[in-house]
């Protein structure tokens, strides 16, 4: 009873949900219009950090749970997950909301001595956080799920209820797709443009979310980001914006201006004031969408919350 699950969506929300449910004995089918690498989740930077979720107290548990999952998964180097130092800089003359500190796992965050700060910065914190290399982790997770018996099917879903009637439970992880599927006008795109330069520098992630600037050293590229453009729904980059990103990042690390440019991309964050994570009344549908700029940071924590909403644990678990 209660065993068959349709997860709609194959981004980080859908895959992490499928992972937690499959590990708990459910029979999971993932239905999605698009898969990695052609989804927003591939466009993420994707380091663990609580962005724009700090007004939602549920998120404290979610981000902490995800952190622990990433820690466990990072034991396999093929996962593309590593723990990196993140340095969060706060510029002179700018006041910072420090509520993010409450979301950091205990004793992971410390203040950086002032003499080590880049020019123009008045304060900085450092911590060790998971960096998820999306180009590696998403196919890796999909292949683990296949080994666990999860079935993947390509489908453009136009009506959740009609799919839900063939399963015990349906979990809706469609990101921005939920805007149409659920007629939810509170979710909208926030475009992020990033520039890629040759890899190898710097060692740590740098974040100044006031300007906003982030520099993320992956194996295949150093990502220089990024923009935060509300209600912009086209996945295109603009040469002049990319130039500005490089100029801002080079103010922090002048070496970056000499690095070879190897690419760029834009992605659309599925922003909602709060994540929709609830069971819809009188249906067998659970919603898990609207993770904005924190989809990786929230992923496994939200997936565990979905598990708690399941009406019946499967028999013979
Ligand atoms: C530039 C940028 C940088 C980012 N950096 C970070 C970061 O550092 N850390 C972090 O935690 N997050 C980051 N994010 C945010 C993160 O990328 C998103 O929150 C996350 O990818 C959302 O995942 P998702 O699975 O909910 O949605 P998606 O990845 O968009 O997946 C949605 C899935 O649903 C499917 N779907 C949609 N509609 C339908 C339909 N009608 N029928 C069938 N399938 C459907 C899609 O095909 C897809 O498979 C960043 C985002 C951007 C753009």
């Amino acid at each position: 009873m209660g065993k068959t699950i349709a997860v709609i969506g194959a981004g980080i929300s859908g895959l992490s949900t499928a992972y937690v449910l499959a590990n708990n004995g459910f029979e999971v089918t993932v239905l999605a219009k698009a898969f990695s690498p052609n989804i927003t989740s591939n466009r993420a930077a994707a380091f663990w950090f609580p962005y724009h979720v700090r007004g939602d107290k549920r998120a404290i548990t979610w981000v902490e749970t995800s952190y622990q999952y990433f820690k466990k998964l990072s034991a396999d180097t093929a996962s593309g997950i590593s723990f990196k130092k993140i340095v969060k800089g706060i510029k002179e003359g700018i006041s910072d909301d420090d509520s993010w500190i409450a979301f950091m796992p205990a004793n992971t965050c410390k203040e950086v001595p002032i003499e080590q700060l880049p020019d123009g910065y008045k304060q900085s914190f450092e911590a060790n956080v998971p960096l998820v290399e999306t180009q590696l982790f998403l196919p890796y997770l999909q292949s683990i799920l296949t080994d666990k018996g999860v079935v993947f099917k390509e489908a453009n879903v136009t009506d959740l209820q009609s799919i839900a009637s063939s399963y015990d439970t349906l979990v809706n992880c469609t990101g921005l797709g939920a805007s149409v599927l659920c007629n939810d006008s509170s979710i909208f795109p926030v475009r992020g443009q990033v520039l890629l330069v040759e890899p190898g520098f710097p060692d740590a992630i740098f974040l100044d979310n006031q300007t906003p600037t982030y520099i993320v050293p992956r194996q295949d590229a150093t990502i220089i980001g990024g923009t935060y453009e509300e209600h912009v729904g086209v996945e295109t980059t603009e040469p002049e914006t990319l130039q500005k990103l490089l100029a801002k990042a080079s103010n922090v690390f002048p070496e970056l201006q000499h690095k070879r440019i190897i690419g760029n991309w834009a992605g659309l964050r599925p922003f909602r004031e709060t994540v929709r994570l609830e069971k819809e009344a009188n249906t067998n549908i659970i919603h898990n969408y609207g993770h904005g700029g924190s989809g990786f940071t929230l992923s496994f924590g939200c997936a565990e919350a979905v598990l708690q909403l399941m009406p019946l644990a499967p028999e013979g678990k």
Side-chain angles (χ1 to χ4, degrees):
M1 292 288 287
K3 252 186 124 149
T4 61
I5 312 290
V7 171
I8 316 298
I12 185 59
S13 307
L15 296 184
S16 55
T17 298
Y19 183 82
V20 169
L21 295 180
N23 278 351
N24 281 276
F26 290 93
E27 289 171 18
V28 182
T29 302
V30 176
L31 301 161
K33 198 157 62 171
F35 293 86
S36 173
N38 304 313
I39 51 176
T40 298
S41 293
N42 274 86
R43 307 270 171 258
F47 54 92
W48 181 100
F49 193 81
Y51 275 113
H52 304 117
V53 291
R54 308 199 289 260
D56 186 346
K57 294 292 172 227
R58 301 173 301 171
I60 294 186
T61 310
W62 296 341
V63 303
E64 164 76 26
T65 303
S66 302
Y67 187 99
Q68 297 306 338
Y69 265 89
F70 287 129
K71 196 168 175 182
K72 231 174 170 172
L73 287 161
S74 70
D76 183 354
T77 50
S79 67
I81 301 169
S82 56
F83 272 68
K84 288 260 180 227
K85 182 161 94 173
I86 182 168
V87 176
K88 184 182 183 302
I90 301 158
K91 278 209 150 155
E92 282 158 3
I94 290 182
S95 65
D96 189 52
D97 158 21
D98 64 2
S99 61
W100 60 275
I101 293 175
F103 285 73
M104 302 302 282
N107 309 319
T108 54
C109 188
K110 63 176 190 206
E111 194 159 349
V112 177
I114 196 147
E115 61 277 8
Q116 291 175 20
L117 303 186
D119 282 352
Y121 284 84
K122 65 172 181 199
Q123 195 184 21
S124 176
F125 293 90
E126 66 176 49
N128 240 0
V129 299
L131 170 63
V132 184
E133 301 210 22
T134 58
Q135 81 284 12
L136 301 173
F137 182 62
L138 293 168
Y140 169 86
L141 187 52
Q142 214 169 303
S143 123
I144 287 187
L145 290 171
T146 304
D147 292 346
K148 287 180 187 292
V150 172
V151 174
F152 289 88
K153 287 186 183 162
E154 195 179 320
N156 182 7
V157 175
T158 52
D159 175 20
L160 290 178
Q161 197 57 66
S162 67
I163 305 284
S165 60
S166 305
Y167 294 85
D168 293 314
T169 303
L170 179 149
V171 191
N172 173 23
C173 302
T174 51
L176 272 180
S179 141
V180 173
L181 270 177
C182 304
N183 195 19
D184 183 347
S185 58
S186 62
I187 182 165
F188 61 84
V190 177
R191 183 172 67 178
Q193 301 183 47
V194 305
L195 181 71
L196 309 179
V197 299
E198 61 184 305
F201 176 84
D203 288 335
I205 301 167
F206 178 82
L207 170 67
D208 165 0
N209 56 352
Q210 241 70 34
T211 44
T213 302
Y214 52 85
I215 300 160
V216 180
R218 300 203 321 192
Q219 293 171 50
D220 62 342
T222 292
I223 301 178
I224 295 179
T227 62
Y228 195 84
E229 304 164 77
E230 295 189 349
H231 299 284
V232 178
V234 283
E235 272 185 328
T236 48
T237 53
E238 296 155 346
E240 60 285 9
T241 304
L242 298 175
Q243 260 176 14
K244 282 184 196 155
L245 292 179
L246 182 58
K248 276 197 291 182
S250 302
N251 281 338
V252 184
F253 297 120
E255 294 93 314
L256 285 173
Q257 61 196 311
H258 306 301
K259 297 289 174 194
R260 195 163 47 88
I261 293 173
I262 58 172
N264 62 73
W265 69 56
L268 306 180
R269 301 171 180 93
F271 183 85
R272 198 173 183 273
E273 199 52 49
T274 56
V275 175
R276 185 171 183 202
L277 208 162
E278 62 181 5
K279 185 171 181 303
E280 189 176 323
N282 306 317
T283 71
N284 59 343
I285 297 174
I286 295 172
H287 298 284
N288 178 19
Y289 68 82
H291 303 82
S294 298
F296 284 82
T297 312
L298 293 164
S299 56
F300 287 98
C302 289
E304 281 280 351
V306 167
L307 177 66
Q308 300 310 315
L309 292 175
M310 283 293 162
L312 280 174
E315 291 162 355
K317 179 184 145 182

